[in-house]
Amino acid sequence: MAKNAKSGRSGRPPEAPAPSALDDPEYRRGVVELLGVLAFGELSACERLVADAQMAPDLSSKVEVATMAAAEFDHFEVLRDRLVEMGEDPFAAMEPFEATFGDFHRKTRPADFVEGLVKAYVGDGLAADFYREIAAYLDPVTREIVVDTLSGTGHSEFVVDQVRAAIEADPRVGGRLALWGRRLMGEALRQAQTLVAERDALSAVLVGGIETPGLDLTAISRMFTRITEAHTERMARLGLAA
């Protein structure tokens, strides 16, 4: 007993670590894919906003957009660090999604500053809605990381005010931006559907089997209905018809 007291040991064998959802190799691959696509999306959003800032009409607007870009990069760092913590190469996890995001941004290149703002507000909002839906099927640690990194850049009021002011100054802008918002919606949904269809491990997370039941076809339909309804509300806030 003296020996145990001196060493601070109870004499009992150490407890085995609690089982984790990440112990399942298939689920782990799905999480790595999800964190990889999110990390690339945040980095891509940062790059896009830096480019959009060059179209800003004044210094104040340029600083606002640059600050949004910095927030996206902060989100990227959280996701990158989580992949490193898991023992994964974050850049290897991100690389498979470069072509998908490149295609999306080529098809949704804004023509001017206000289109860039609508894309940042509506496009990023659509992506956030989609990944939050997926987060419901994740283990608690991964879910918290995903939700936290989709918390927004904190500058939605700036975007809303700028877009509404542009429409007030020239009502014809409203029609053009409404069409632009519909185009963003279509391309974002196409990208989301492509990602799920092409990435087997990511699809497996949605199918279920880890802590929560998965999505059936009816649930998937309801998910996209909720995403569409949130998009309509987002567009209305900008003063645009969805």
Side-chain angles (χ1 to χ4, degrees), residues 29-70:
R29 284 195 298 272
V31 168
V32 170
E33 286 192 350
L34 178 60
L35 296 179
V37 70
L38 284 171
F40 196 97
E42 296 291 346
L43 183 61
S44 179
C46 174
E47 292 176 327
R48 186 197 69 229
L49 286 166
V50 168
D52 290 350
Q54 304 307 309
M55 297 187 289
D58 53 61
L59 185 58
S60 175
S61 298
K62 180 175 290 190
V63 169
E64 288 281 357
V65 176
T67 304
M68 292 165 64

Short mmCIF file of all heavy atoms in Angstrom, two decimals, residues 29-70:
data_model
loop_
_atom_site.label_atom_id
_atom_site.label_comp_id
_atom_site.label_asym_id
_atom_site.label_seq_id
_atom_site.Cartn_x
_atom_site.Cartn_y
_atom_site.Cartn_z
N ARG A 29 -13.38 8.61 -42.54
CA ARG A 29 -13.12 9.10 -43.90
C ARG A 29 -14.15 10.15 -44.30
O ARG A 29 -13.81 11.15 -44.95
CB ARG A 29 -13.14 7.94 -44.90
CG ARG A 29 -11.89 7.07 -44.88
CD ARG A 29 -11.82 6.17 -46.10
NE ARG A 29 -12.94 5.25 -46.18
CZ ARG A 29 -12.97 4.06 -45.62
NH1 ARG A 29 -11.93 3.62 -44.91
NH2 ARG A 29 -14.03 3.28 -45.76
N GLY A 30 -15.40 9.93 -43.90
CA GLY A 30 -16.44 10.91 -44.20
C GLY A 30 -16.19 12.24 -43.52
O GLY A 30 -16.37 13.30 -44.12
N VAL A 31 -15.76 12.19 -42.26
CA VAL A 31 -15.46 13.42 -41.53
C VAL A 31 -14.27 14.15 -42.16
O VAL A 31 -14.28 15.38 -42.30
CB VAL A 31 -15.19 13.11 -40.04
CG1 VAL A 31 -14.58 14.32 -39.33
CG2 VAL A 31 -16.47 12.68 -39.35
N VAL A 32 -13.24 13.41 -42.54
CA VAL A 32 -12.07 14.02 -43.18
C VAL A 32 -12.50 14.70 -44.49
O VAL A 32 -12.07 15.83 -44.79
CB VAL A 32 -10.97 12.97 -43.43
CG1 VAL A 32 -9.86 13.55 -44.32
CG2 VAL A 32 -10.38 12.50 -42.12
N GLU A 33 -13.36 14.04 -45.26
CA GLU A 33 -13.83 14.65 -46.50
C GLU A 33 -14.64 15.92 -46.21
O GLU A 33 -14.49 16.94 -46.89
CB GLU A 33 -14.69 13.66 -47.28
CG GLU A 33 -13.89 12.56 -47.96
CD GLU A 33 -14.71 11.77 -48.96
OE1 GLU A 33 -15.95 11.95 -49.00
OE2 GLU A 33 -14.11 10.97 -49.72
N LEU A 34 -15.49 15.85 -45.20
CA LEU A 34 -16.30 17.02 -44.86
C LEU A 34 -15.43 18.18 -44.40
O LEU A 34 -15.61 19.32 -44.86
CB LEU A 34 -17.31 16.65 -43.76
CG LEU A 34 -18.20 17.80 -43.27
CD1 LEU A 34 -19.03 18.38 -44.40
CD2 LEU A 34 -19.09 17.33 -42.12
N LEU A 35 -14.49 17.92 -43.51
CA LEU A 35 -13.60 18.98 -43.04
C LEU A 35 -12.74 19.51 -44.20
O LEU A 35 -12.45 20.70 -44.27
CB LEU A 35 -12.71 18.47 -41.90
CG LEU A 35 -13.43 18.07 -40.62
CD1 LEU A 35 -12.44 17.56 -39.58
CD2 LEU A 35 -14.24 19.23 -40.05
N GLY A 36 -12.36 18.61 -45.11
CA GLY A 36 -11.58 19.03 -46.27
C GLY A 36 -12.35 19.97 -47.18
O GLY A 36 -11.85 21.01 -47.61
N VAL A 37 -13.61 19.61 -47.47
CA VAL A 37 -14.41 20.46 -48.35
C VAL A 37 -14.73 21.80 -47.68
O VAL A 37 -14.73 22.86 -48.32
CB VAL A 37 -15.69 19.74 -48.82
CG1 VAL A 37 -16.69 19.56 -47.70
CG2 VAL A 37 -16.34 20.50 -49.96
N LEU A 38 -14.99 21.76 -46.37
CA LEU A 38 -15.25 23.01 -45.65
C LEU A 38 -14.01 23.90 -45.63
O LEU A 38 -14.10 25.12 -45.82
CB LEU A 38 -15.71 22.71 -44.23
CG LEU A 38 -17.15 22.22 -44.06
CD1 LEU A 38 -17.38 21.75 -42.63
CD2 LEU A 38 -18.12 23.33 -44.43
N ALA A 39 -12.85 23.30 -45.37
CA ALA A 39 -11.61 24.08 -45.32
C ALA A 39 -11.33 24.72 -46.67
O ALA A 39 -10.97 25.91 -46.75
CB ALA A 39 -10.45 23.19 -44.90
N PHE A 40 -11.50 23.95 -47.75
CA PHE A 40 -11.26 24.53 -49.07
C PHE A 40 -12.29 25.62 -49.36
O PHE A 40 -11.96 26.65 -49.94
CB PHE A 40 -11.30 23.46 -50.17
CG PHE A 40 -10.68 23.94 -51.45
CD1 PHE A 40 -9.37 23.63 -51.76
CD2 PHE A 40 -11.39 24.75 -52.33
CE1 PHE A 40 -8.78 24.10 -52.92
CE2 PHE A 40 -10.82 25.23 -53.49
CZ PHE A 40 -9.51 24.91 -53.79
N GLY A 41 -13.53 25.39 -48.95
CA GLY A 41 -14.55 26.41 -49.16
C GLY A 41 -14.25 27.71 -48.44
O GLY A 41 -14.44 28.80 -49.01
N GLU A 42 -13.76 27.62 -47.21
CA GLU A 42 -13.42 28.83 -46.46
C GLU A 42 -12.22 29.55 -47.10
O GLU A 42 -12.21 30.78 -47.21
CB GLU A 42 -13.11 28.49 -45.00
CG GLU A 42 -14.28 27.91 -44.22
CD GLU A 42 -15.39 28.92 -43.98
OE1 GLU A 42 -15.15 30.14 -44.17
OE2 GLU A 42 -16.49 28.50 -43.60
N LEU A 43 -11.21 28.78 -47.50
CA LEU A 43 -10.05 29.39 -48.15
C LEU A 43 -10.45 30.03 -49.47
O LEU A 43 -10.02 31.15 -49.81
CB LEU A 43 -8.97 28.33 -48.38
CG LEU A 43 -7.66 28.82 -48.99
CD1 LEU A 43 -6.99 29.84 -48.08
CD2 LEU A 43 -6.72 27.64 -49.23
N SER A 44 -11.31 29.34 -50.23
CA SER A 44 -11.78 29.87 -51.50
C SER A 44 -12.60 31.14 -51.30
O SER A 44 -12.47 32.10 -52.06
CB SER A 44 -12.64 28.80 -52.20
OG SER A 44 -13.15 29.26 -53.42
N ALA A 45 -13.43 31.15 -50.25
CA ALA A 45 -14.23 32.35 -49.96
C ALA A 45 -13.33 33.52 -49.60
O ALA A 45 -13.59 34.67 -49.99
CB ALA A 45 -15.19 32.05 -48.81
N CYS A 46 -12.27 33.25 -48.84
CA CYS A 46 -11.31 34.30 -48.50
C CYS A 46 -10.69 34.90 -49.76
O CYS A 46 -10.64 36.13 -49.93
CB CYS A 46 -10.24 33.73 -47.58
SG CYS A 46 -8.89 34.88 -47.22
N GLU A 47 -10.24 34.03 -50.66
CA GLU A 47 -9.62 34.50 -51.91
C GLU A 47 -10.61 35.31 -52.74
O GLU A 47 -10.26 36.35 -53.31
CB GLU A 47 -9.13 33.30 -52.72
CG GLU A 47 -7.96 32.56 -52.09
CD GLU A 47 -7.58 31.33 -52.87
OE1 GLU A 47 -8.48 30.69 -53.47
OE2 GLU A 47 -6.39 31.00 -52.90
N ARG A 48 -11.85 34.84 -52.80
CA ARG A 48 -12.87 35.52 -53.59
C ARG A 48 -13.15 36.91 -53.03
O ARG A 48 -13.28 37.89 -53.77
CB ARG A 48 -14.15 34.69 -53.59
CG ARG A 48 -15.23 35.22 -54.50
CD ARG A 48 -16.57 34.61 -54.15
NE ARG A 48 -17.04 35.10 -52.85
CZ ARG A 48 -17.47 34.32 -51.88
NH1 ARG A 48 -17.45 33.01 -52.03
NH2 ARG A 48 -17.90 34.84 -50.75
N LEU A 49 -13.26 37.02 -51.72
CA LEU A 49 -13.57 38.31 -51.10
C LEU A 49 -12.42 39.29 -51.25
O LEU A 49 -12.64 40.49 -51.41
CB LEU A 49 -13.93 38.11 -49.63
CG LEU A 49 -15.30 37.49 -49.38
CD1 LEU A 49 -15.43 37.02 -47.93
CD2 LEU A 49 -16.40 38.49 -49.71
N VAL A 50 -11.19 38.79 -51.20
CA VAL A 50 -10.04 39.67 -51.43
C VAL A 50 -10.14 40.27 -52.84
O VAL A 50 -9.88 41.47 -53.05
CB VAL A 50 -8.72 38.89 -51.25
CG1 VAL A 50 -7.55 39.70 -51.78
CG2 VAL A 50 -8.51 38.56 -49.77
N ALA A 51 -10.50 39.44 -53.82
CA ALA A 51 -10.66 39.93 -55.19
C ALA A 51 -11.83 40.91 -55.28
O ALA A 51 -11.73 41.95 -55.95
CB ALA A 51 -10.87 38.75 -56.14
N ASP A 52 -12.94 40.60 -54.61
CA ASP A 52 -14.11 41.49 -54.65
C ASP A 52 -13.80 42.85 -54.03
O ASP A 52 -14.37 43.87 -54.44
CB ASP A 52 -15.28 40.85 -53.89
CG ASP A 52 -15.86 39.65 -54.63
OD1 ASP A 52 -15.49 39.44 -55.80
OD2 ASP A 52 -16.68 38.93 -54.03
N ALA A 53 -12.94 42.86 -53.02
CA ALA A 53 -12.60 44.13 -52.37
C ALA A 53 -11.99 45.12 -53.35
O ALA A 53 -12.11 46.34 -53.17
CB ALA A 53 -11.65 43.89 -51.21
N GLN A 54 -11.36 44.62 -54.41
CA GLN A 54 -10.75 45.51 -55.39
C GLN A 54 -11.81 46.28 -56.19
O GLN A 54 -11.49 47.30 -56.81
CB GLN A 54 -9.87 44.69 -56.36
CG GLN A 54 -8.79 43.88 -55.67
CD GLN A 54 -7.92 44.71 -54.74
OE1 GLN A 54 -7.40 45.75 -55.14
NE2 GLN A 54 -7.77 44.25 -53.51
N MET A 55 -13.05 45.79 -56.17
CA MET A 55 -14.14 46.47 -56.89
C MET A 55 -14.90 47.44 -55.99
O MET A 55 -15.84 48.09 -56.45
CB MET A 55 -15.11 45.44 -57.47
CG MET A 55 -14.51 44.51 -58.50
SD MET A 55 -15.75 43.45 -59.32
CE MET A 55 -16.19 42.33 -57.97
N ALA A 56 -14.52 47.54 -54.73
CA ALA A 56 -15.23 48.40 -53.79
C ALA A 56 -15.20 49.85 -54.24
O ALA A 56 -14.16 50.34 -54.71
CB ALA A 56 -14.64 48.26 -52.40
N PRO A 57 -16.32 50.57 -54.10
CA PRO A 57 -16.39 51.96 -54.56
C PRO A 57 -15.67 52.96 -53.66
O PRO A 57 -15.41 54.09 -54.08
CB PRO A 57 -17.89 52.24 -54.59
CG PRO A 57 -18.45 51.34 -53.54
CD PRO A 57 -17.62 50.10 -53.58
N ASP A 58 -15.36 52.56 -52.42
CA ASP A 58 -14.70 53.48 -51.50
C ASP A 58 -13.88 52.68 -50.50
O ASP A 58 -14.00 51.45 -50.39
CB ASP A 58 -15.71 54.38 -50.78
CG ASP A 58 -16.82 53.58 -50.11
OD1 ASP A 58 -16.52 52.77 -49.21
OD2 ASP A 58 -17.99 53.76 -50.49
N LEU A 59 -13.04 53.38 -49.76
CA LEU A 59 -12.13 52.73 -48.83
C LEU A 59 -12.87 52.02 -47.71
O LEU A 59 -12.48 50.92 -47.29
CB LEU A 59 -11.16 53.77 -48.25
CG LEU A 59 -10.06 53.23 -47.34
CD1 LEU A 59 -9.19 52.21 -48.07
CD2 LEU A 59 -9.19 54.38 -46.83
N SER A 60 -13.95 52.64 -47.21
CA SER A 60 -14.71 52.03 -46.13
C SER A 60 -15.27 50.67 -46.55
O SER A 60 -15.18 49.69 -45.80
CB SER A 60 -15.86 52.96 -45.71
OG SER A 60 -16.68 52.33 -44.74
N SER A 61 -15.83 50.60 -47.75
CA SER A 61 -16.38 49.34 -48.25
C SER A 61 -15.27 48.31 -48.45
O SER A 61 -15.45 47.12 -48.18
CB SER A 61 -17.13 49.57 -49.56
OG SER A 61 -18.23 50.43 -49.38
N LYS A 62 -14.14 48.77 -48.93
CA LYS A 62 -13.02 47.86 -49.15
C LYS A 62 -12.57 47.23 -47.82
O LYS A 62 -12.30 46.02 -47.75
CB LYS A 62 -11.85 48.61 -49.79
CG LYS A 62 -10.63 47.73 -50.05
CD LYS A 62 -9.55 48.49 -50.81
CE LYS A 62 -9.97 48.78 -52.24
NZ LYS A 62 -8.85 49.31 -53.07
N VAL A 63 -12.53 48.03 -46.77
CA VAL A 63 -12.14 47.50 -45.46
C VAL A 63 -13.17 46.51 -44.94
O VAL A 63 -12.82 45.47 -44.37
CB VAL A 63 -11.94 48.66 -44.45
CG1 VAL A 63 -11.78 48.12 -43.04
CG2 VAL A 63 -10.72 49.49 -44.84
N GLU A 64 -14.45 46.79 -45.14
CA GLU A 64 -15.50 45.87 -44.70
C GLU A 64 -15.35 44.51 -45.36
O GLU A 64 -15.42 43.46 -44.70
CB GLU A 64 -16.89 46.45 -45.03
CG GLU A 64 -17.30 47.63 -44.17
CD GLU A 64 -17.80 47.22 -42.80
OE1 GLU A 64 -17.88 46.00 -42.53
OE2 GLU A 64 -18.11 48.11 -41.99
N VAL A 65 -15.13 44.50 -46.67
CA VAL A 65 -15.01 43.24 -47.39
C VAL A 65 -13.71 42.52 -47.02
O VAL A 65 -13.68 41.30 -46.88
CB VAL A 65 -15.11 43.47 -48.91
CG1 VAL A 65 -14.90 42.17 -49.68
CG2 VAL A 65 -16.47 44.06 -49.27
N ALA A 66 -12.64 43.29 -46.84
CA ALA A 66 -11.38 42.67 -46.43
C ALA A 66 -11.51 42.03 -45.05
O ALA A 66 -10.92 40.97 -44.78
CB ALA A 66 -10.27 43.72 -46.42
N THR A 67 -12.29 42.64 -44.18
CA THR A 67 -12.52 42.08 -42.85
C THR A 67 -13.32 40.78 -42.94
O THR A 67 -13.07 39.82 -42.20
CB THR A 67 -13.26 43.09 -41.96
OG1 THR A 67 -12.51 44.31 -41.91
CG2 THR A 67 -13.43 42.56 -40.55
N MET A 68 -14.29 40.74 -43.87
CA MET A 68 -15.03 39.50 -44.12
C MET A 68 -14.08 38.41 -44.59
O MET A 68 -14.17 37.25 -44.17
CB MET A 68 -16.11 39.75 -45.16
CG MET A 68 -17.24 40.65 -44.69
SD MET A 68 -18.28 41.29 -46.05
CE MET A 68 -19.01 39.78 -46.67
N ALA A 69 -13.13 38.78 -45.47
CA ALA A 69 -12.15 37.80 -45.96
C ALA A 69 -11.30 37.26 -44.82
O ALA A 69 -11.00 36.06 -44.76
CB ALA A 69 -11.27 38.44 -47.04
N ALA A 70 -10.90 38.14 -43.92
CA ALA A 70 -10.08 37.72 -42.78
C ALA A 70 -10.85 36.74 -41.89
O ALA A 70 -10.27 35.77 -41.37
CB ALA A 70 -9.64 38.94 -41.97
#
